[in-house]
Amino acid sequence: MKKLVAICLAGAVLAGCQSTNPYTGEQQTAKSTKYAGIGVLAGALVGAAANGKDGALAGAALGGLAGAGYGAYADKQEAALRAELQGTGVQVARYGDDIKLIMPGNITFDSSDAAIKSGFYRVLGSVATVMKQYDENAIVIVGHTDSTGNEQKTNMPLSNERAMSVARYLEGQGVASARITAYGVGSSEPVASNTSPAGREQNRRVEIDLKPVVR
């Protein structure tokens, strides 16, 4: 009975906060609401186990607040990044708590070069602005190459240098260096086939992962 009360509370939160996507017509739930629902369920179960129905209600309230916290924060940060990066060629992706920025090599670096293209400075400046406004993330910058060239002599050093170039620029724009980790992985993590020019172009990229800080 206690578990049933808890599950009903979480279901009520999720059902009450659904909306219709104006582009697809589908029902959708905001990520922050999903986190809140999970928090409600967890809090209610713990509260119910301790104090029955009243404990479930109290636990649900506290769990909902805790669960919604980072989800709501990440929702706002994601929206700010999408607004700043619209039309730039940078892809913004969301995976649970993590926000990933995927920067294709054709707009960030010239071939076999680790110097940031002059036309891309403005885009990285916009990224830095949002990162400073939302400063509760760890920032992981990862450089990638295609499979052309020697992995150890060419690809690994180039991917690392490109990641470091992005890190140095963000630091120069005022993003705290303590938040940033940067490294290269060469061609070891392709997202497309290296057998075609189009596939190799997708693989030549820098990714920035914005992750919750583990305290």
Side-chain angles (χ1 to χ4, degrees):
M1 185 62 185
K2 293 175 182 178
K3 290 184 179 179
L4 180 60
V5 171
I7 293 169
C8 288
L9 285 167
V13 170
L14 292 172
C17 296
Q18 285 192 324
S19 61
T20 301
N21 187 311
Y23 299 102
T24 66
E26 297 177 344
Q27 288 293 304
Q28 61 185 15
T29 305
K31 294 181 179 69
S32 56
T33 303
K34 291 180 182 178
Y35 290 120
I38 293 169
V40 166
L41 178 56
L45 286 172
V46 172
N51 296 303
K53 180 180 178 181
D54 291 340
L57 291 171
L62 292 174
L65 289 174
Y70 190 80
Y73 177 88
D75 284 347
K76 292 177 182 178
Q77 185 179 34
E78 179 187 4
L81 286 166
R82 289 187 184 281
E84 289 286 346
L85 297 174
Q86 186 176 12
T88 64
V90 176
Q91 180 184 347
V92 181
R94 179 77 175 270
Y95 303 96
D97 283 349
D98 297 352
I99 301 171
K100 178 175 287 191
L101 307 180
I102 303 169
M103 303 177 170
N106 64 310
I107 63 173
T108 51
F109 300 96
D110 287 325
S111 179
S112 302
D113 196 346
I116 297 169
K117 286 187 175 182
S118 59
F120 198 66
Y121 283 128
R122 183 187 62 80
V123 177
L124 275 183
S126 296
V127 171
T129 298
V130 176
M131 286 180 174
K132 288 186 291 183
Q133 181 181 358
Y134 295 88
D135 59 359
E136 295 298 317
N137 306 99
I139 302 167
V140 181
I141 304 170
V142 184
H144 301 262
T145 69
D146 61 32
S147 62
T148 304
N150 182 278
E151 185 70 4
Q152 295 304 316
K153 292 183 179 180
T154 304
N155 296 338
M156 285 296 294
L158 180 60
S159 65
N160 189 67
E161 289 166 10
R162 286 179 168 179
M164 293 301 299
S165 291
V166 172
R168 284 192 294 268
Y169 184 79
L170 293 176
E171 290 170 5
Q173 295 298 302
V175 179
S177 59
R179 298 172 60 196
I180 299 175
T181 301
Y183 59 91
V185 295
S187 64
S188 64
E189 298 180 7
V191 294
S193 172
N194 279 299
T195 59
S196 69
R200 290 192 293 273
E201 184 174 277
Q202 291 183 60
N203 292 333
R204 295 191 296 267
R205 68 198 189 280
V206 171
E207 296 181 350
I208 300 179
D209 291 341
L210 303 175
K211 299 175 174 289
V213 176
V214 178
R215 302 186 186 279

